[in-house]
């Protein structure tokens, strides 16, 4: 697999510079086409009108979303017009409830989406919807960028979170081009089950799979010494001086993670380095 089409979805002008810089760097390194979707999001719902909101209020919300999309697109084109990259930029407006359909239609033909971390100060609900749409409706792996962790070069040290799940294997497959170029790949297994076919060799089958792709790994078996699995992964990645984490996303339902928490949501909230996720 190679990354031939890299996409990003930008919903605010403040996100253009940090996200686009990383997306441009990634696309250039992989000789990929960069697709940018400048999306204006109307947070209202069609139901607002029937609930008594005036047509003027609804229209103003739509106009603001259109203006946001136009402003984002203008900033993107200004930054890329002198670039030697192959790129395209389209602008769209959607209500928040219709955002997944609109984003999925555009992003599902990409090899990778590069997106900002959806949680944190100043981050709106639309960013969470975009990330989940890429992973679920779009079936596209996503490289999530924390605020202060840009993608500057191909990672040389990578941590792979492994729990035998299909989502984790999908993430590994999506990351293969990056793993091949890394100097060190640590496969992290946290509290492996005491019963099961791989209990005596946790991560062994994955190690064999990766070796056949010329990726040679170290298996790190860890105990869950912190309350959350994501915290253990982040601490270990920091200790290993890793530049990227690769992991499966949403092994449990999105609703369950939203209500009770989960490794994916915790990682999206607390990641301090780029995280490549797939479902």
């Amino acid at each position: 697999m190679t990354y031939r089409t890299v996409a990003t979805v930008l919903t605010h002008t403040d996100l253009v510079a940090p996200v686009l810089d990383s997306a441009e760097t990634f696309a250039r390194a992989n000789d990929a086409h960069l697709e940018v979707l400048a999306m204006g999001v109307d947070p209202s719902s069609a139901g607002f009108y029937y609930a008594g909101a005036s047509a003027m209020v609804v229209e103003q919300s739509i106009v603001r979303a259109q203006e946001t999309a136009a402003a984002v697109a203008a900033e993107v084109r200004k930054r890329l017009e002198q670039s030697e990259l192959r790129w395209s930029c389209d602008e769209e407006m959607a209500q928040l409830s219709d955002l997944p359909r609109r984003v999925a239609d555009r992003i599902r033909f990409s090899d990778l989406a590069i997106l900002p971390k959806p949680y944190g100060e100043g981050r709106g609900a639309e960013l969470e919807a975009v990330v989940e749409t890429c992973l679920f409706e779009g079936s596209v792996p996503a490289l999530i960028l924390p605020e202060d962790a840009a993608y500057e070069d191909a990672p040389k040290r990578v941590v792979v979170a492994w729990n035998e799940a299909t989502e984790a294997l999908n993430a590994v497959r999506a990351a293969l081009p990056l793993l091949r170029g890394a100097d060190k790949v640590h496969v992290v297994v946290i509290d492996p089950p005491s019963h099961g076919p791989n209990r005596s060799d946790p991560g062994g089958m994955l190690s064999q799979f990766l070796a056949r792709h010329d990726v040679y790994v170290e298996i790190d078996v860890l105990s869950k010494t912190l309350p959350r699995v994501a915290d253990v992964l982040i601490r270990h990645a920091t200790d290993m001086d890793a530049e990227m984490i690769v992991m499966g996303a949403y092994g449990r339902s999105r609703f369950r993670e939203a209500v009770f928490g989960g490794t994916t949501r915790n990682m999206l909230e607390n990641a301090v380095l780029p995280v490549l996720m797939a479902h």
Side-chain angles (χ1 to χ4, degrees):
M1 173 186 172
T2 56
Y3 304 113
R4 307 309 298 167
T5 303
V6 176
T8 188
V9 181
L10 300 173
T11 58
H12 198 280
T13 52
D14 290 346
L15 298 173
V16 172
V19 177
L20 198 59
D21 283 348
S22 292
E24 188 176 357
T25 299
F26 191 99
R28 184 180 295 107
N30 291 275
D31 192 27
H33 182 97
L34 175 60
E35 290 190 349
V36 182
L37 179 59
M39 178 64 73
V41 181
D42 171 13
S44 68
S45 167
F48 286 5
Y49 182 80
Y50 299 106
S54 71
M56 182 177 295
V57 172
V58 175
E59 182 181 5
Q60 288 174 346
S61 184
I62 292 173
V63 169
R64 282 195 296 270
Q66 291 172 333
E67 291 173 346
T68 297
V72 171
E75 183 69 19
V76 169
R77 290 168 182 143
K78 180 181 177 181
R79 294 178 66 90
L80 292 179
E81 62 185 4
Q82 302 300 325
S83 174
E84 74 282 4
L85 280 177
R86 301 185 303 278
W87 63 275
S88 58
C89 177
D90 297 314
E91 57 186 272
E92 285 197 29
M93 187 281 296
Q95 288 185 320
L96 185 59
S97 58
D98 193 40
L99 186 62
R101 180 182 67 85
R102 303 291 286 275
V103 171
D105 284 347
R106 302 300 297 272
I107 210 159
R108 64 195 181 101
F109 295 103
S110 303
D111 298 309
L112 181 73
I114 298 179
L115 304 170
K117 189 169 78 169
Y119 304 114
E121 185 177 353
R123 302 297 168 100
E126 69 277 1
L127 295 181
E128 179 184 14
V130 168
V131 170
E132 292 184 354
T133 296
C134 290
L135 294 172
F136 286 90
E137 288 84 356
S139 298
V140 176
L143 180 60
I144 309 299
L145 303 173
E147 294 92 334
D148 301 319
Y151 181 92
E152 298 177 345
D153 200 358
K156 295 303 180 184
R157 294 173 299 280
V158 180
V159 163
V160 175
W162 181 244
N163 62 354
E164 303 283 347
T166 299
E167 294 83 5
L169 185 55
N170 289 341
V172 169
R173 286 195 173 106
L176 273 175
L178 297 173
L179 297 179
R180 288 194 194 100
D183 294 333
K184 286 190 176 182
V185 177
H186 292 264
V187 172
V188 177
V189 184
I190 299 174
D191 283 348
S194 56
H195 302 283
N198 299 313
R199 63 186 183 277
S200 62
D201 186 21
M205 294 296 290
L206 178 64
S207 176
Q208 182 184 75
F209 167 77
L210 288 172
R212 290 171 179 168
H213 288 275
D214 298 321
V215 179
Y216 300 95
V217 307
E218 295 181 20
I219 306 294
D220 300 335
V221 179
L222 307 178
S223 297
K224 186 184 174 186
T225 55
L226 294 172
R228 301 182 299 189
V229 170
D231 295 334
V232 178
L233 287 171
I234 292 171
R235 183 180 66 180
H236 190 66
T238 302
D239 291 344
M240 295 295 102
D241 198 22
E243 298 165 298
M244 182 178 291
I245 295 174
V246 175
M247 62 179 287
Y250 293 109
R252 301 189 295 180
S253 72
R254 284 176 281 181
F255 176 78
R256 184 179 177 88
E257 292 230 1
V259 175
F260 299 107
T263 301
T264 304
R265 187 179 179 93
N266 293 336
M267 183 63 74
L268 289 173
E269 289 176 345
N270 300 296
V272 294
L273 66 161
V275 182
L276 194 152
M277 292 182 165
H279 178 70

